Each structure stands twice: as structure tokens, then as C-alpha cells.
Amino acid sequence: MLKKFITLSFIAVAALSAHAQNVTLTWGQESKSEVTYNSFVRGSSNELIKLCFEQKGRDISPIMTGYNSNLTEIANNTIYVDQDNVKFDKLLSIKENLYFFTNIYDKKSKTTSFYCQPLNIKTFKNQGANIPLGTMEAIKKSEQSSVSYQLSEDSTKVLMMGLSPYSKAEAEKYYLGVYDYKMAKLWDKTIQLPYQDKDIIIFGQLITNDGKVAVLIKHFDSQTNKEDIRKAGKKVPSYKTKLLLYSKDETTPHEFLISIGDKFVHSLTIASEKNNELTLFGMHQQKSDGNVNGYFLTKINTTTKTISSTNINNFPENLLEIIKKDKQGSDSERDGGLGASFDFVKWVTRENGDQDFLLEYKRVYWVSSKYGSYYVFEHGDIIDINVKTNGTNVITRIPKFQQSLVNSNASSFKTLAYKDKLLLFYNDRDDNLEQRLDERPKETKLGSGGQTILGGTADAFFTMGTIDSNGNLTRTVLMDKKQSKYVSLINISLPIDKNKIALYAVRGRKDMIGYLEVK
């Protein structure tokens, strides 16, 4: 089912039905100069902040711009750093505090030093001294330690996790630094596992609201780097899947072994934390190199140290038949499943208590041609696994196939929960929206983050998919090319509250800030 509405200026309202929600799109003014996007974060109160790079001749300047709740520009400042060869890492906004993360590689010592510069959230000027976060070893400039920054669910804690560059012969080593929201260090540890780097895959990590750190690993402990070994004539996993829980006062982590029998773990993610309980979502395979046959949930209580794996299911045959048609999986009787490129994206709780675990087909590859070399990002079907409060599951497929070059800012999707419904926002082409839901989606070309590149055009309509409590999907066009030539970079949009998303859109090198609100 497809519906459309018409915008006046840049304000639009979509009424889906007499008993459904209204969706309003509101846009600010087009940027005065041509810029390249870098970051988009929340400011003070209801304000928004964007960080872009502006090029004048050979000079490139990072410029931070603030917007009030009416989407009017209220502050603008060029960011300067005192040292040469500084590389920008991340811009973070945490509870009325703004931080600019950087790093510097030192060729002589073969180390990388990491810093955090507090900024005034209103004026964007430096506020206090640059905070040194640590120095980590490197092999060479192209092989440095990698660092990620992550917020706890309640935004009171910040995790800095640093991974040493890969070395086949060395032990697996990583750094954990835990900070409060004012970037005061609470504790840190350098972890050296009693296993070699080649025997460990890190699935991911999470910082809890009380300052513990959970790290998910796959440990190959059978003296082989293959996924399977043969036992009693049967191929079984050659590894153990573990969650390691670190805390400030314990010298060794608490280790949880995650077991799903003789199935192979394709992927595993810490989906959420609530009331000291971690919910892990995983996908499993019956063959180590086969399709993704199903999914499972694991619950870990960080206080009582108990663990249980539940809801171990295979994907239904009717879903796999459609996924095969989309060329994103197989319905084979021997190994029917989703393609290996499917991955967990996010977890959402609806207002009625239902939980949604959302998967997406994602593939990245490198292309070299006479026009140049670049990455290609493919974002395909979305699979929504809706777990009811009574324990039953409803699965819905949202068909799409987006292709982006260089970056994926205009690809993928964002969600809002509205009463007993799940709303999904993404870019799609008009003829996909006109065809039946069970048909294979055509390719939606999104250029380079919504900008035309190498003949690719951003030909997408800004779309909303609505999944009701029974798993039925309808689609609505929120903005088409007649209403606006801008393309919404939905992958970098910001949830503001339970019914509101801040949007960033581009047209060529010009940009625009907006709001999407559900009432």
C-alpha cells in the first residue's frame, strides 16, 4: 500500500488514517556555503550542532554550526588545533557537554596519542585544557591502534576502547577507559588475554550504566583457525563464544560461556541493557560457511551472574522463499537461510512492551576503474523480528536495495516506536514503492552520500514503512523529488525523543537541517 502527500514550503503533514499517527516534516534554510559533512549531534536543550568542512582553494576548515529549535542558525565557529598532524576522531554531545576527540601519530616513537578537547556547547570555543586520554603503540602510520567511544544507555558513562594493531604472533591486547559524562576518568585497564591475536575475534562491547564493561569474543581454542572441527564424525564449532565482564574493583573479568549446542555463531551483539540485565541477540548457522539459518536471544544478569539462552529459532520457509527471490539468501532444503551479509542493526521496544530486533543486509566492496577507486555500500532488505510479550514471534520483511558510493550516509534506516506500531524511515525509489511487497526491489542509487558521483544519481524518495502489531507493512512517501531536490541522510539522523528525529539533508554541496515528528 502506497500513499503520498504534498508539501507547502518545507512543512508537510501525512495523515495515515483516521486512527493512525500524523507525521510532520519541517525544514530550515539551505546552507549559505558549500560544505562536506562530518558530524551531527545534539546541542544544549533543543538545539542541534553540525560539524562540516569548508574548502576555499587549498585550505580546508572545520566549521561548527548551531541551530535553535526553530532550525535557525544561532552560532558559527571555525575549529582550530594548536598542533600539526592532528587527526579528528569524533564529536560527542553528552548531557549539555560537548567534546572534540582527536589523535596524533608520532613517527619517532611509533605511538598514537589520543585527546579530548571540551568545547563550550553554546559558542563552540575551547573550554578548559585538552585532556590526554592515553598513548598506544603502533607498528607504523598505516597500522595504528584503533579507538572507539561509546555511551552507556543513560549517557552517564563513556567507554574508550582501544585495540592494538593486529599481530599474528602477539597476545590479544586492548585498553578500556571508563569516564563519567564530564570526562573524568573513573577507571582504566590494559587487558592482555592469555590467547594469541589470531585466535580471537571481538564481536563488540558495551558500557553499562553502573560503569562495567562487557566484551563479546569468539575464542578459537582448538589449535585451528578454521570455524569447525570434526568430533564423533560430525562437524562442530572449533571455538567458544564468551562474554567477559570487567569492573573497576575486580582484577579479572567474570567469564560467561554462551552455548547454543552444535550450531555455529554467525554474529552476536549486546542489544540492550536494562535493570542490570544484558540482552544479547545472535544469529546461527548449521554450517560454518553456510547461510544464516536462524537467531537466538541470551540474557545475562550482571548482578547475579546468571545466563540463559532462549528463543532459539530458524527463519520460516515463507520468508526464505522471498529472500531467495531478492538474491539475499536461499530457500534450499539442505541449507535455507539469510545470506551471510545480514547483520543485527538495532533493538526497539514498542509502547505495548513488544520488542523488535532489526536485521539488515549490508555489503561493502572496493571498486577500481578508469574513473577512480572507491568503496561501494549495499544496504538491502530489513528483517524485523517482533518478540511479543507472550513470547511469540512475528517476522516482517521490508524490501529495499540501496547502493551508495564512498559513504553510506543516505542508506540504511532509522526507527520510531508509536503505540503498538514500528515506524521505519529510509530512502527508496518510486517504482519499488508502487510494486507488490513480495517482488524483488530494484536498485536505489544514492550516489555519494546523496550527491551525484560517477554518473550515479540520488533518485530516492524519503519513505516511511509502518509495521502494525500483526506484522503487516504499509509504505508512505514523505518527500518526493517534486517536493524537494534534497536527499535525507537518514543514516546520520538523530533521535531527539520518542516521537522526534532530527534530519540532515543534502543537495550537491549544500545542506539543510530538519525535524521529523510523529503525533
Side-chain angles (χ1 to χ4, degrees):
M1 182 178 180
L2 177 66
K3 307 173 185 177
K4 292 187 179 181
F5 66 93
I6 298 175
T7 58
L8 294 176
S9 298
F10 285 102
I11 301 177
V13 179
L16 301 186
S17 77
H19 304 288
Q21 66 276 9
N22 290 333
V23 178
T24 304
L25 284 179
T26 307
W27 294 101
Q29 297 297 313
E30 184 180 78
S31 61
K32 298 180 179 66
S33 57
E34 295 187 347
V35 295
T36 301
Y37 167 83
N38 186 276
S39 300
F40 187 38
V41 300
R42 297 185 67 166
S44 178
S45 301
N46 294 318
E47 296 171 0
L48 299 170
I49 300 170
K50 74 174 184 184
L51 174 64
C52 292
F53 290 95
E54 183 177 354
Q55 185 167 354
K56 294 181 179 179
R58 294 185 176 181
D59 295 329
I60 299 177
S61 302
I63 298 176
M64 207 170 291
T65 308
Y67 299 84
N68 63 17
S69 58
N70 296 320
L71 302 174
T72 302
E73 185 176 316
I74 54 173
N76 190 287
N77 189 46
T78 301
I79 306 301
Y80 296 98
V81 292
D82 297 331
Q83 296 159 287
D84 295 329
N85 302 317
V86 173
K87 183 180 178 182
F88 170 66
D89 273 335
K90 193 177 186 68
L91 184 70
L92 269 183
S93 171
I94 314 168
K95 289 185 175 291
E96 299 287 317
N97 297 279
L98 188 62
Y99 301 107
F100 193 73
F101 292 86
T102 58
N103 71 72
I104 302 174
Y105 172 71
D106 183 73
K107 183 178 180 180
K108 185 176 181 180
S109 63
K110 291 186 178 180
T111 59
T112 308
S113 298
F114 297 86
Y115 299 91
C116 170
Q117 175 62 62
L119 302 175
N120 185 293
I121 201 166
K122 289 286 190 180
T123 65
F124 314 141
K125 295 181 179 179
N126 290 359
Q127 185 169 279
N130 204 14
I131 303 170
L133 301 178
T135 298
M136 300 181 194
E137 62 187 16
I139 296 174
K140 53 185 177 181
K141 189 173 184 179
S142 61
E143 295 180 56
Q144 301 179 50
S145 294
S146 61
V147 163
S148 62
Y149 301 93
Q150 186 178 7
L151 293 179
S152 61
E153 182 72 23
D154 63 1
S155 297
T156 62
K157 307 293 187 303
V158 182
L159 170 64
M160 172 187 176
M161 182 169 182
L163 295 176
S164 296
Y166 176 78
S167 175
K168 185 177 180 180
E170 298 293 328
E172 175 68 30
K173 186 190 297 184
Y174 49 84
Y175 170 82
L176 304 175
V178 176
Y179 299 79
D180 67 13
Y181 65 92
K182 291 186 177 294
M183 290 308 295
K185 185 182 290 185
L186 302 177
W187 62 272
D188 70 338
K189 291 181 181 181
T190 298
I191 311 297
Q192 183 164 313
L193 297 178
Y195 323 122
Q196 288 187 316
D197 210 344
K198 65 181 181 66
D199 296 329
I200 296 294
I201 293 176
I202 296 180
F203 280 129
Q205 65 280 337
L206 179 137
I207 174 77
T208 65
N209 293 334
D210 59 357
K212 297 184 179 73
V213 178
V215 179
L216 274 175
I217 67 169
K218 180 188 281 189
H219 174 209
F220 292 85
D221 58 351
S222 301
Q223 287 76 53
T224 178
N225 57 4
K226 294 182 178 180
E227 291 274 326
D228 57 59
I229 55 174
R230 191 171 291 275
K231 285 186 177 180
K234 183 179 180 180
K235 288 185 176 181
V236 297
S238 64
Y239 53 83
K240 290 183 175 64
T241 306
K242 305 174 183 178
L243 184 140
L244 306 177
L245 186 65
Y246 297 91
S247 62
K248 178 181 179 179
D249 299 322
E250 295 179 318
T251 56
T252 57
H254 193 92
E255 185 175 298
F256 298 89
L257 184 63
I258 299 161
S259 176
I260 52 171
D262 59 358
K263 300 180 186 299
F264 295 88
V265 177
H266 168 262
S267 61
L268 189 61
T269 307
I270 307 172
S272 68
E273 180 209 6
K274 187 176 181 180
N275 300 327
N276 297 317
E277 183 177 72
L278 302 178
T279 299
L280 280 59
F281 179 90
M283 291 190 283
H284 62 74
Q285 301 162 290
Q286 63 185 20
K287 295 181 178 180
S288 61
D289 58 351
N291 292 307
V292 181
N293 309 111
Y295 58 95
F296 63 96
L297 296 176
T298 296
K299 304 280 189 178
I300 295 177
N301 190 296
T302 60
T303 302
T304 63
K305 305 295 192 296
T306 54
I307 180 172
S308 63
S309 291
T310 60
N311 218 326
I312 303 175
N313 290 287
N314 286 341
F315 291 112
E317 185 176 340
N318 61 345
L319 171 67
L320 300 182
E321 289 174 355
I322 300 177
I323 291 295
K324 178 186 178 182
K325 187 189 299 184
D326 295 346
K327 298 190 180 300
Q328 298 176 34
S330 170
D331 64 350
S332 162
E333 290 185 5
R334 297 182 61 184
D335 188 32
L338 306 182
S341 294
F342 272 92
D343 201 3
F344 174 80
V345 176
K346 71 177 304 183
W347 164 81
V348 180
T349 299
R350 303 192 195 186
E351 293 179 29
N352 65 354
D354 287 0
Q355 296 184 71
D356 292 271
F357 298 88
L358 290 141
L359 319 178
E360 186 180 30
Y361 178 94
K362 294 190 291 186
R363 192 166 78 100
V364 182
Y365 56 92
W366 181 255
V367 170
S368 294
S369 71
K370 63 181 180 180
Y371 301 107
S373 299
Y374 50 89
Y375 282 106
V376 177
F377 298 85
E378 293 179 348
H379 288 71
D381 289 350
I382 304 166
I383 306 297
D384 173 44
I385 302 171
N386 175 235
V387 180
K388 303 290 185 183
T389 53
N390 63 7
T392 60
N393 300 343
V394 176
I395 297 180
T396 304
R397 160 187 162 271
I398 300 87
K400 67 178 180 66
F401 193 79
Q402 304 158 320
Q403 186 187 80
S404 299
L405 311 181
V406 184
N407 70 66
S408 60
N409 292 342
S411 295
S412 200
F413 66 98
K414 283 293 191 292
T415 62
L416 287 176
Y418 182 81
K419 297 183 179 178
D420 63 348
K421 299 179 179 64
L422 181 68
L423 311 180
L424 302 99
F425 304 95
Y426 59 99
N427 291 306
D428 207 345
R429 58 188 289 172
D430 55 347
D431 46 355
N432 279 340
L433 300 171
E434 297 289 355
Q435 67 184 19
R436 296 197 319 269
L437 288 169
D438 61 351
E439 293 188 48
R440 180 185 175 186
K442 299 179 179 67
E443 180 182 272
T444 303
K445 295 180 180 179
L446 294 169
S448 173
Q451 299 171 353
T452 301
I453 185 171
L454 301 182
T457 56
D459 58 2
F461 289 7
F462 189 43
T463 304
M464 177 176 70
T466 302
I467 303 175
D468 68 16
S469 59
N470 296 316
N472 299 310
L473 171 67
T474 57
R475 295 172 293 178
T476 305
V477 173
L478 299 180
M479 188 170 72
D480 64 26
K481 288 301 167 189
K482 293 180 180 179
Q483 297 160 332
S484 174
K485 300 298 183 184
Y486 272 80
V487 176
S488 296
L489 305 191
I490 191 64
N491 210 4
I492 56 175
S493 60
L494 294 174
I496 299 300
D497 58 37
K498 67 176 185 178
N499 293 327
K500 195 172 185 178
I501 295 176
L503 300 174
Y504 182 91
V506 297
R507 181 178 65 86
R509 293 289 180 183
K510 295 294 186 75
D511 66 10
M512 190 167 60
I513 305 298
Y515 283 124
L516 181 154
E517 190 167 9
V518 181
K519 295 180 180 179

